[in-house]
Amino acid sequence: MNSIIFVMLLLFSVVIGSMIGLTVKRRGISSSNFKGGFSLVFELVILILVFFIGAESSLKLGSEEIIQGILAIALGVTSAIMSSVSWQILERGSKK
Amino acid sequence: MKFQYKVIFSFLLGMIAGKVINIIAIADETIQILLFILMFMIGFEGGYNVTSKEIGSGIKKGLKTLFVAILGSAIAGIIFIPFMGKLSLISSLGLGWYTFTGSYLATQIGGNAGFIGFVVNLSRELFGMIAIPSLSKKLPCYALISLAGSPASDTLFPFIYRECGDISIVPSIFQGLMTLFTVPLLISLVIGL
């Protein structure tokens, strides 16, 4: 699927969900009625999602090129760490 | 069992299953469907809890987290230039969007660059799955959104939401959306340098 269409569909899911959530709230239904089951299903769906991402990665990262990719993995992890560290540095700087 | 251990376990189980059983054929579609379900659930929670005032401030925060994600990734890319050349900077600016970066670099520079771009950004996403639940007590939520990069609005969004709750919805989605425009622009700019 085209990535822009995919993101638009994801956003559409969020919008539909939020409209239903808003309707439920306006009808005065307490969140305690669905909170427990909601969290459980949410966690379960994440774990199934990770399972399938693992299955997909096994195909894509299973080649001999993985040795060449070690440096690339280090760069990916460093990019993530640097992004969060930059946030903290800028946040501290703006507070001073 | 802690959530991040469950995540690692599920991932490893998936990797083994991917090698043993032929589930790869359905993996892509299943991931998409599960993402739609998660987005719907998060939208439901957001509609129930988020106010319109929070949307405005969330967009501002989303812009800031995007800027920081680009900055941090660029710094990491520059650090790796002695080992990988300019390709490190180009790849790191993919911000975790491995499908685009991998295929784009493969067509623009070559197969090897495509592979590097793919691995750099996939490993960022996989690292986020472990790092977000693990670091949520130590780092502020917006730092976690910056850490996630492009997948902040899809695969890593449920992880961020689980740790940060409703305040993360608008900045995460906004950052993820904006990367759709900024990543292709930044990568093609750096390739042209």
Side-chain angles (χ1 to χ4, degrees), chain A residues 28-70:
Chain A
I29 300 167
S30 167
S31 62
S32 59
N33 291 336
F34 53 82
K35 200 80 183 170
F38 192 92
S39 303
L40 191 73
V41 174
F42 190 73
E43 200 170 301
L44 200 68
V45 176
I46 292 177
L47 294 176
I48 299 169
L49 179 75
V50 172
F51 172 84
F52 278 101
I53 291 172
E56 229 192 2
S57 305
S58 72
L59 178 76
K60 288 170 180 169
L61 291 179
S63 65
E64 288 170 10
E65 287 169 311
I66 192 73
I67 300 156
Q68 188 193 2
I70 289 171

Side-chain angles (χ1 to χ4, degrees), chain A residues 17-18 25 29 31 43 68 83, chain B residues 6 14 43-44 48 112 124:
Chain A
S18 60
K25 188 183 180 182
I29 300 167
S31 62
E43 200 170 301
Q68 188 193 2
S83 295
Chain B
K6 288 181 192 171
F44 179 87
Y48 195 89
N112 195 44
R124 179 176 183 152

Side-chain angles (χ1 to χ4, degrees), chain B residues 84-145:
Chain B
M84 297 167 79
K86 199 173 81 171
L87 187 60
S88 66
L89 181 59
I90 297 168
S91 303
S92 65
L93 288 173
L95 303 180
W97 188 4
Y98 59 87
T99 46
F100 171 79
T101 313
S103 47
Y104 185 74
L105 294 187
T107 55
Q108 297 298 310
I109 304 176
N112 195 44
F115 172 74
I116 299 287
F118 177 82
V119 177
V120 166
N121 290 287
L122 179 65
S123 57
R124 179 176 183 152
E125 183 180 291
L126 298 179
F127 175 71
M129 286 179 188
I130 301 161
I132 291 168
S134 308
L135 300 175
S136 62
K137 299 271 186 294
K138 290 168 189 154
L139 292 175
C141 282
Y142 300 113
L144 296 178
I145 297 171

Side-chain angles (χ1 to χ4, degrees), chain B:
Chain B
M1 196 196 281
K2 277 187 178 178
F3 185 66
Q4 54 268 46
Y5 297 142
K6 288 181 192 171
V7 169
I8 296 168
F9 181 72
S10 296
F11 184 77
L12 292 176
L13 201 68
M15 281 195 96
I16 295 164
K19 290 281 180 200
V20 180
I21 321 161
N22 187 22
I23 54 166
I24 288 153
I26 57 158
D28 204 32
E29 285 77 13
T30 314
I31 289 169
Q32 288 182 1
I33 293 165
L34 289 171
L35 275 175
F36 287 130
I37 296 170
L38 281 172
M39 289 305 202
F40 174 81
M41 291 177 80
I42 291 164
F44 179 87
E45 276 273 300
Y48 195 89
N49 297 317
V50 176
T51 60
S52 54
K53 195 180 169 188
E54 285 168 339
I55 294 174
S57 64
I59 289 173
K60 276 184 200 162
K61 285 284 184 190
L63 265 178
K64 200 172 167 187
T65 57
L66 173 68
F67 170 74
V68 175
I70 294 169
L71 181 73
S73 304
I75 294 169
I78 291 166
I79 291 170
F80 275 74
I81 282 180
F83 312 106
M84 297 167 79
K86 199 173 81 171
L87 187 60
S88 66
L89 181 59
I90 297 168
S91 303
S92 65
L93 288 173
L95 303 180
W97 188 4
Y98 59 87
T99 46
F100 171 79
T101 313
S103 47
Y104 185 74
L105 294 187
T107 55
Q108 297 298 310
I109 304 176
N112 195 44
F115 172 74
I116 299 287
F118 177 82
V119 177
V120 166
N121 290 287
L122 179 65
S123 57
R124 179 176 183 152
E125 183 180 291
L126 298 179
F127 175 71
M129 286 179 188
I130 301 161
I132 291 168
S134 308
L135 300 175
S136 62
K137 299 271 186 294
K138 290 168 189 154
L139 292 175
C141 282
Y142 300 113
L144 296 178
I145 297 171
S146 289
L147 182 150
S150 179
S153 65
D154 45 70
T155 33
L156 293 182
F157 186 25
F159 291 83
I160 297 167
Y161 179 74
R162 190 180 177 277
E163 304 304 326
C164 302
D166 297 326
I167 58 149
S168 66
I169 295 178
V170 180
S172 297
I173 291 178
F174 188 74
Q175 177 180 289
L177 254 183
M178 292 310 288
T179 55
L180 288 177
F181 305 103
T182 48
V183 167
L185 200 73
L186 285 170
I187 290 181
S188 48
L189 266 174
V190 179
I191 288 175
L193 282 178

